């Protein structure tokens, strides 16, 4: 939050932010400013995952509400929105852009009056909130956020803060844009050790509310997290901590992570936060997920596609393109508090698991084609398979770490990185294996 002074302009502002959704399908605020319910301006998710940019002065309620939804938990979005009441063209006064493209189709499109003051903006004593909104009380944002620019008195388009990559065509971040911020403006990178720092030169340091958790995940390098869109519709679960922790109260089901690869060597970790009944951790193919593997455990009965997971009883549960519901004794059991390391060698067709840093079955992930102590996976490169990390639970709780640096809200002390210096893990990453993130997938996957 920030308590504003009398600002540069009460008639125009711009906000740019990068964010990665956590909880979906709920009403949650991205940004807001004002005095409460009488004078306020906000940008927030409506229930159903549409965006709403709106103002309220006690009676009038100008707004833009999108028809398009934004519910991809695997992606960093770049959102830019602005209000300029000095524009004589009423259709130009409220603007929303996503990933460099202006949104033009809305469920609600009610403009604000020309040259009117924006309710709740840039007045002495107004409160700005990042990760919450003003209208209708608290609606806290859950997810990740980075590089938030708040501009008082100047309108900027998205090209100030981002650009299309000349090779991939993907919209990417500009980490040091040229911006005039104005009296109530600020640039909040949310960097390690400086979560509330204003880097704009305006000295508008934020007041921290609650306990934000730092992460290696960023708009420049997107890490795999749990995917709430890949689930059995009947599953009972709770996701938290930016989609890195998942809890199930009953029933078998599997949740993959958001990113995978078709070649190369990959590593991730999962901590068993609570084990009441059963739990598996390992790898599954996109084909397995598409055949409703999410409604099963690893190996899932009736799903004849490739998957493999290490169970709490020390067995490997797996399926192939010709069989399902298979299991094979492997090594030690695991329980609450244990960290399971998962290494997948797609170049040679092997999977390995460790418990608290000790590779099971005397496994050696660096043994290459020898596959010392490995489990042989099914069709590692057939059909252009995409392999994804995943967890399965039945009355249990997992916290996953694909290199983000935390288990839930607990910082990993003395973290280990992969050979490229990417990620932060609890245990040593085997030589040649990589964290599951976009930077590594582009180079090795």
């Amino acid at each position: 939050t920030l308590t504003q002074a009398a600002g540069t302009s009460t008639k125009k502002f711009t906000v740019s932010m990068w964010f990665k959704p956590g909880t979906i399908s709920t009403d949650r605020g991205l940004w807001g400013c004002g005095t409460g319910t009488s004078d306020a301006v906000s940008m927030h998710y409506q229930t159903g995952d549409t965006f709403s940019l709106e103002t309220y002065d006690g009676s009038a309620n100008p707004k833009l509400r999108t028809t398009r939804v934004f519910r991809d938990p695997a992606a960093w979005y770049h959102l830019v929105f602005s209000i300029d009441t000095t524009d004589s063209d009423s259709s130009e006064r409220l603007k929303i852009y996503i990933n460099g493209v202006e949104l033009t189709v809305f469920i609600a499109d009610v403009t604000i009056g020309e040259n009117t003051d924006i309710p709740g903006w840039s007045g002495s004593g107004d409160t700005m909130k990042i990760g919450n909104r003003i209208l209708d009380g608290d609606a806290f944002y859950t997810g990740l956020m980075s590089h938030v620019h708040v501009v008082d008195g100047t309108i900027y388009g998205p090209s100030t803060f981002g650009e299309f990559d000349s090779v991939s065509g993907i919209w990417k971040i500009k980490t040091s844009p040229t911006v005039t911020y104005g009296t109530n403006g600020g640039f909040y990178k949310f960097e390690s050790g400086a979560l509330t720092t204003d880097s704009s030169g305006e000295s508008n340091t934020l007041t921290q509310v609650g306990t934000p958790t730092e992460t290696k995940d960023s708009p420049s390098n997107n890490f795999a997290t749990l995917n709430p869109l890949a689930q059995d519709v009947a599953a009972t679960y709770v996701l938290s901590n930016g989609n890195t922790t998942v809890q199930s109260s009953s029933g078998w089901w599997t949740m993959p992570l958001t990113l995978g690869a078709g070649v190369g060597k990959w590593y991730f970790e999962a901590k068993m936060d609570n084990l009441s009944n059963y739990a598996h951790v390992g790898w599954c193919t996109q084909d397995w997920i598409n055949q409703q593997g999410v409604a099963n455990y690893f190996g899932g009965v009736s799903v004849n596609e490739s998957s493999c997971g290490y169970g709490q009883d020390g067995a490997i549960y797996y399926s192939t393109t010709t069989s399902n519901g298979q299991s094979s004794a492997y090594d030690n059991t695991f329980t609450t508090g244990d960290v399971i390391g998962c290494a997948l060698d797609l170049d040679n067709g092997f999977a390995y698991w460790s418990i608290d840093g000790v590779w099971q079955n005397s496994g050696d992930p660096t043994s290459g084609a020898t596959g010392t102590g490995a489990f042989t996976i099914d069709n590692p490169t057939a059909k252009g398979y995409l392999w994804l990390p995943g967890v399965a639970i039945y009355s249990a709780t997992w916290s996953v770490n694909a290199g983000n640096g935390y288990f839930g809200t607990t910082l990993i002390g003395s973290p280990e990185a992969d050979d490229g210096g990417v990620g932060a893990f609890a245990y040593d990453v085997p030589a040649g294996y990589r964290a599951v993130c976009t930077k590594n997938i582009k180079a090795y996957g």
Side-chain angles (χ1 to χ4, degrees), residues 76 82 110 129 133 140 149 190 258 278 299 308 354 391:
W76 278 89
S82 62
V110 181
K129 297 183 177 183
R133 68 174 188 175
F140 289 102
H149 299 265
F190 302 129
T258 52
Y278 313 107
C308 58
S354 66
V391 295

Side-chain angles (χ1 to χ4, degrees), residues 265 330 343-345 347-352 359-376 430-433:
K265 298 177 181 180
Y330 193 64
L344 182 68
D345 180 353
D347 297 333
N348 295 290
F350 299 122
Y352 305 82
W359 291 101
Q360 299 300 288
N361 197 36
S362 300
D364 180 4
T366 66
S367 59
T370 304
T372 303
F375 175 81
T376 301
Y433 287 76

Side-chain angles (χ1 to χ4, degrees), residues 17 112 306 346 387 421 433:
M17 61 173 60
I112 191 170
S306 301
L346 290 174
W387 286 81
Y433 287 76

Side-chain angles (χ1 to χ4, degrees), residues 291-376:
Q291 294 211 20
Q292 287 301 297
V294 292
N296 294 283
Y297 51 86
F298 281 104
V301 176
S302 79
V303 182
N304 287 344
E305 293 292 349
S306 301
S307 70
C308 58
Y310 193 33
Q312 84 294 329
D313 57 357
I316 304 296
Y317 291 83
Y318 65 96
S319 63
T320 71
T321 54
T322 57
S323 65
N324 57 69
Q326 306 298 313
S327 64
S328 176
Y330 193 64
D331 206 335
N332 294 308
T333 63
F334 61 80
T335 190
T336 299
D338 287 334
V339 174
I340 313 303
C342 304
L344 182 68
D345 180 353
L346 290 174
D347 297 333
N348 295 290
F350 299 122
Y352 305 82
W353 289 266
S354 66
I355 300 178
D356 296 331
V358 178
W359 291 101
Q360 299 300 288
N361 197 36
S362 300
D364 180 4
T366 66
S367 59
T370 304
T372 303
F375 175 81
T376 301

Side-chain angles (χ1 to χ4, degrees), residues 134-181:
I134 299 294
L135 292 170
D136 303 323
D138 289 334
F140 289 102
Y141 170 69
T142 61
L144 280 62
M145 193 174 285
S146 181
H147 281 69
V148 177
H149 299 265
V150 180
V151 181
D152 180 4
T154 306
I155 301 299
Y156 291 104
S159 61
T160 298
F161 310 100
E163 61 188 347
F164 290 105
D165 186 271
S166 59
V167 177
S168 68
I170 294 173
W171 186 255
K172 65 180 183 180
I173 191 171
K174 290 182 179 178
T175 56
S176 301
T178 300
V179 175
T180 299
Y181 288 92

Side-chain angles (χ1 to χ4, degrees), residues 70-155:
F70 303 92
R71 60 165 67 107
D72 184 358
W76 278 89
Y77 290 106
H78 180 216
L79 172 66
V80 176
F81 56 93
S82 62
I83 299 180
D84 180 5
T85 69
T86 68
D87 200 307
S88 59
D89 185 342
S90 60
S91 66
E92 295 292 308
R93 293 173 197 155
L94 280 71
K95 293 277 195 176
I96 304 175
Y97 304 85
I98 195 77
N99 295 340
V101 178
E102 183 179 359
L103 304 182
T104 57
V105 181
F106 303 100
I107 297 171
D109 186 352
V110 181
T111 193
I112 191 170
E114 185 176 2
N115 286 318
T116 60
D117 291 335
I118 301 168
W121 169 252
S122 210
S124 179
D126 288 337
T127 299
M128 182 182 72
K129 297 183 177 183
I130 298 174
N132 198 0
R133 68 174 188 175
I134 299 294
L135 292 170
D136 303 323
D138 289 334
F140 289 102
Y141 170 69
T142 61
L144 280 62
M145 193 174 285
S146 181
H147 281 69
V148 177
H149 299 265
V150 180
V151 181
D152 180 4
T154 306
I155 301 299

